[in-house]
């Protein structure tokens, strides 16, 4: 029997020190910019989550094209982080750039109080892909989710939403709830200034726990279940056989609306998991990638839900009722979305991205097998995520328990120092239409080096 490789913590700490020194020596210009930015930016970054990068300060980008980023110190990286899905189409895909230039310079009008033809095109295309016919637009997936939760409560007259422990749907108040060690609902650790304790607005259970879902929906007080079809923000947690069917059936029995958030799971194919797995959501929410990196969010609803929304009595949907934003549905976002959906994130492109991800996953598995490393990698179409366990977890709670900050930081820094970027909040790698086999093979090579350096 082969003995599994083990992680040597002393070796890990030594590698961490060496990699930090190398990072510091090789990124003087980034360091300078970071020092300067500390004078004017909270945490020295334009958005506080950017402080998460390993190495002590972020790398400052100079340019980004396709699946590649060049930093201000002249290093080039293969980018598997791809803006945590926002750049799934690749950086500045030419068709999207052309559409943005056309809209902004030739036609003119980034923001109007009038619709453009692109909006109808994008609504039709999203409807074709996800099977729900009526769409509305936001600027982020967060806002799409926020507005959908309001609409679901308004339509059903019910007070609660149901989410799964360790879900992430953007900065949506109702979703910052987890189960504690005793399986009791509680405000998620680190929740910043909640207006009300989320246990007042939300019910929570583990993903794949159908019995708990059925119990929590039984009194018909839950307006909607909001979930990704596979969790992607706490590693990738795939649904077990029958779970999503059971969820749909429980919603049908109790008159609960089912909202599927496809923001990340679009990686499964042109119509996300909804199309790939034949799901029947009442509402689909999405954002990030569909406009090639230009801000957009969207929600699509079934014909039945659309009719219920239109019939809402006393709900102000056109002015100050809490659903909407001035720049939402703007012509620039929609021109970018039209080009991205019709010319970049096409069916053909997904076939290539998934094939590349197959190659990526096979490369990682070969490395793990060769050294008997007890880790695994989970794939969802064009996206893959490493888990520090041989059996991928089946719930958010189980996945959270595997979190190993130091190991993640060292792996990410080791890769970054060798020209490979992995998503900082995860061990996630995403393929774009611009990613190449050589990019994937570079990752396999560097990953093998990292494993050799860390495992005894
Ligand atoms: C599944 C899911 N939904 C929604 C969001 C929110 O997206 P944004 O931050 O672009 O609003 C995220 C962000 O990571 C997400 O992972």
């Amino acid at each position: 029997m082969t003995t599994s490789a083990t992680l040597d913590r002393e070796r890990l700490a030594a590698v961490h020190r060496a990699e930090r020194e190398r990072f510091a020596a090789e990124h003087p210009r980034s360091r300078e910019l970071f020092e300067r930015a500390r004078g004017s930016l909270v945490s020295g970054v334009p958005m506080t989550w950017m402080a998460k990068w390993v190495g002590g300060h972020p790398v400052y980008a100079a340019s980004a094209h396709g699946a590649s980023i060049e930093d201000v110190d002249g290093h080039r990286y293969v980018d598997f982080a791809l803006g945590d899905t926002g750049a799934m189409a690749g950086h500045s895909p030419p068709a999207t750039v052309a559409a943005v230039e056309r809209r902004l310079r030739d036609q003119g009008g980034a923001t109007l109080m009038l619709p453009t033809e692109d909006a109808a095109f994008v609504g039709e295309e999203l409807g074709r892909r996800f099977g729900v016919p009526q769409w509305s637009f936001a600027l982020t997936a967060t806002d799409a989710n926020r507005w959908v939760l309001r609409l679901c409560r308004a339509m059903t007259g019910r007070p609660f939403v149901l989410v799964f422990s360790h879900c992430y749907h953007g900065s949506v108040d109702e979703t910052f709830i987890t189960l504690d060690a005793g399986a009791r609902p509680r405000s998620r650790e680190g929740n910043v200034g909640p207006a009300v304790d989320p246990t007042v607005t939300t019910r929570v259970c583990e993903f794949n726990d159908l019995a708990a879902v059925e119990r929590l929906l039984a009194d018909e007080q839950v307006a909607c279940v909001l979930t990704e079809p596979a969790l992607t923000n706490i590693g990738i947690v795939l649904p077990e056989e029958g779970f999503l069917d059971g969820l749909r059936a429980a919603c049908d029995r109790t008159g609960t609306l089912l909202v599927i958030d496809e923001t990340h799971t679009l990686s499964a194919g042109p119509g996300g998991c909804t199309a790939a797995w034949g799901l029947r959501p009442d509402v689909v929410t999405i954002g990030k990638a569909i406009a090639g990196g230009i801000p957009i969010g969207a929600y699509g609803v079934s014909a039945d839900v659309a009719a219920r929304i239109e019939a809402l009595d006393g709900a102000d949907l056109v002015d100050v009722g809490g659903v909407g934003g001035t720049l939402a549905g703007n012509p620039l976002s929609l021109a970018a979305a039209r080009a991205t959906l019709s010319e970049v994130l096409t069916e053909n492109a997904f076939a290539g991205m998934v094939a590349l991800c197959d190659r990526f996953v096979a490369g990682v598995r070969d490395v793990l097998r060769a050294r008997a490393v007890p880790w695994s990698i989970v794939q969802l179409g064009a996206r893959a995520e490493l888990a520090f366990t041989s059996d991928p977890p089946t719930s958010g709670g189980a996945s959270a328990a595997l979190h190993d900050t130091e190991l993640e930081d060292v792996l990410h820094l080791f890769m970054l120092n060798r020209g490979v970027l992995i998503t900082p909040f995860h061990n996630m790698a995403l393929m774009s239409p611009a990613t190449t086999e050589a990019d994937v093979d570079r990752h396999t090579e560097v990953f093998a080096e990292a494993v050799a350096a860390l495992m005894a």
Side-chain angles (χ1 to χ4, degrees), residues 143-361:
D143 274 345
N145 282 323
R146 281 191 186 133
W147 301 343
V148 160
L149 295 190
R150 279 176 172 264
L151 287 166
C152 288
R153 283 190 299 256
M155 277 183 279
T156 59
R158 298 178 180 182
F160 294 110
V161 301
L162 172 68
V163 299
F164 295 108
S165 198
H166 294 282
C167 67
Y168 187 73
H169 297 282
S171 47
V172 179
D173 288 334
E174 291 92 331
T175 61
F176 287 100
I177 188 166
T178 49
L179 293 174
D180 69 11
R184 287 173 301 258
R186 47 160 288 185
S187 182
R188 186 174 185 147
E189 204 181 316
N191 190 2
V192 181
V196 293
D197 186 318
T199 55
V200 173
T201 58
T202 310
R203 293 179 177 172
V204 60
C205 63
E206 290 290 2
F207 194 71
N208 280 323
D209 186 349
L210 189 55
V213 169
E214 287 170 345
R215 183 165 38 76
L216 293 171
L217 297 189
D219 66 359
E220 303 187 1
Q221 290 302 299
V222 174
C224 67
V225 176
L226 169 62
T227 186
E228 294 184 276
L231 302 185
T232 65
N233 285 291
I234 186 76
I236 294 178
V237 178
L238 295 173
E240 290 181 319
E241 190 68 37
F243 176 66
L244 294 176
D245 285 344
L247 177 62
R248 178 68 268 181
C251 286
D252 285 342
R253 270 198 310 279
T254 56
T256 310
L257 294 163
L258 178 57
V259 183
I260 294 286
D261 181 344
E262 290 275 17
T263 304
H264 280 180
T265 49
L266 176 63
S267 65
C273 292
T274 296
W277 299 345
L279 308 181
R280 290 183 300 106
D282 297 296
V283 183
V284 170
T285 59
I286 195 161
K288 295 201 183 187
I290 59 170
I294 300 295
I296 194 166
Y299 54 97
V301 301
S302 66
D304 176 52
V305 169
R308 288 171 75 180
I309 292 174
E310 276 176 24
L312 276 175
D313 202 17
D316 177 1
L317 287 171
V318 291
D319 198 356
V320 288
V323 171
T326 310
L327 300 189
N330 73 75
L332 189 66
S333 296
L334 288 158
R338 179 180 189 158
T340 305
L341 292 172
S342 57
E343 296 178 63
V344 189
L345 289 176
T346 59
E347 222 145 295
N348 259 349
F350 272 99
M353 290 151 68
V354 173
L356 277 179
C357 198
D358 292 345
R359 186 183 182 97
F360 183 100
V361 167

